[in-house]
Amino acid sequence: MGLLALVWELVSRGTGASIPSPQDTLAQAAVIFSDPFYSKGPNDQGIGWNILSSLKRVAVGFGLAAAVGIPAGFLIGRFTFLSRMFNPLISLLRPVSPLAWLPIGLLVFKGADPAAIWTIFICSIWPMIINTAVGVQRVPQDYMNVARVLNLSEWKIVTKILFPAVLPYVLTGVRLAIGVAWLVIVAAEMLTGGVGIGFWVWDEWNNLNVAHIIIAIFVVGIVGLLLEQMLMLIAKRFSYE
């Protein structure tokens, strides 16, 4: 962090202060966070409201992705014919850039908010599907043989064998997906507008306020770090013994 601040200071001096120095940026941050929840109209709101709006979109899109992706991962991992059916489709769609999905969302849903949520959904679903499916496929065959000998129902197999064994993989997929979701929302909001941290960054760029852009970069990084650390703490509480 000290090295970063030193390089930042040198870049600021080398560019004739067109890039604000750490001290100037810190002073601007103190002003911004002194009243983060002010509201002077739909296009002039504090950074706190923008962060909350982005988190709300992420929560909805991410929640929908988890509701669809985790059960889909179980099915794909459990049944070979589903795995053969969907693996080529996943391999085709997973590398698509998040912003390529945004126009489809705007066309279908006719609104910026649903389009942003759709983009989060379609981009964050893949890590959960893939990790869950891999976890199911890596359950030791001995466990499945015992289930077959005991004549367990499919529901018992899922709840007593697969779910406990696959839970660490599921949580890894969730942790990766939340990082993707937070990454996507910033880019989507830059294009859709409204209230959100991505729109706030773009608005400050239009105002040529570089210090606020740098502050937003740190805010995005810190919020993303906190989300990931929170999920890591949850993941560490679950292990299959």
Side-chain angles (χ1 to χ4, degrees):
M1 295 300 291
L3 179 61
L4 173 63
L6 177 61
V7 172
W8 183 0
E9 180 69 32
L10 293 174
V11 169
S12 176
R13 294 184 181 185
T15 57
S18 60
I19 301 293
S21 67
Q23 296 91 333
D24 294 337
T25 305
L26 193 60
Q28 288 285 325
V31 173
I32 289 174
F33 287 102
S34 65
D35 187 14
F37 291 102
Y38 77 85
S39 181
K40 298 179 181 178
N43 293 323
D44 188 9
Q45 299 190 26
I47 192 170
W49 293 121
N50 286 280
I51 293 170
L52 289 177
S53 295
S54 296
L55 287 173
K56 180 181 175 182
R57 294 187 186 102
V58 166
V60 175
F62 178 79
L64 291 172
V68 175
I70 293 173
F74 267 99
L75 292 172
I76 290 171
R78 182 78 178 94
F79 301 105
T80 304
F81 78 95
L82 287 178
S83 177
R84 290 176 178 171
M85 183 188 299
F86 284 104
N87 277 342
L89 185 64
I90 293 170
S91 299
L92 175 68
L93 297 180
R94 186 172 60 88
V96 176
S97 168
L99 296 184
W101 292 108
L102 187 60
I104 303 298
L106 290 170
L107 180 65
V108 172
F109 298 108
K110 311 297 183 184
D113 264 10
I117 291 168
W118 150 257
T119 307
I120 294 167
F121 167 82
I122 198 66
C123 293
S124 59
I125 195 172
W126 310 122
M128 287 187 273
I129 291 177
I130 292 169
N131 278 273
T132 303
V134 168
V136 172
Q137 291 166 354
R138 289 186 179 179
V139 172
Q141 188 59 41
D142 291 345
Y143 296 173
M144 305 309 296
N145 293 338
V146 169
R148 209 170 282 116
V149 169
L150 296 176
N151 198 26
L152 296 183
S153 66
E154 188 66 30
W155 176 251
K156 287 267 189 183
I157 291 173
V158 171
T159 55
K160 299 296 184 182
I161 296 176
L162 294 182
F163 186 73
V166 174
L167 190 56
Y169 290 91
V170 172
L171 291 172
T172 299
V174 168
R175 183 170 62 86
L176 294 172
I178 195 67
V180 172
W182 187 242
L183 178 75
V184 167
I185 190 59
V186 175
E189 287 174 344
M190 283 185 174
L191 298 180
T192 58
V195 180
I197 191 66
F199 171 73
W200 194 78
V201 171
W202 192 248
D203 192 47
E204 295 305 320
W205 165 247
N206 290 331
N207 295 329
L208 296 178
N209 197 332
V210 181
H212 286 189
I213 295 172
I214 296 173
I215 292 167
I217 289 170
F218 278 102
V219 168
V220 169
I222 291 168
V223 173
L225 179 64
L226 290 175
L227 290 173
E228 187 171 351
Q229 290 299 316
M230 179 182 68
L231 288 171
M232 284 180 68
L233 288 174
I234 295 172
K236 286 177 181 177
R237 298 183 64 86
F238 294 96
S239 62
Y240 183 72
E241 299 295 344

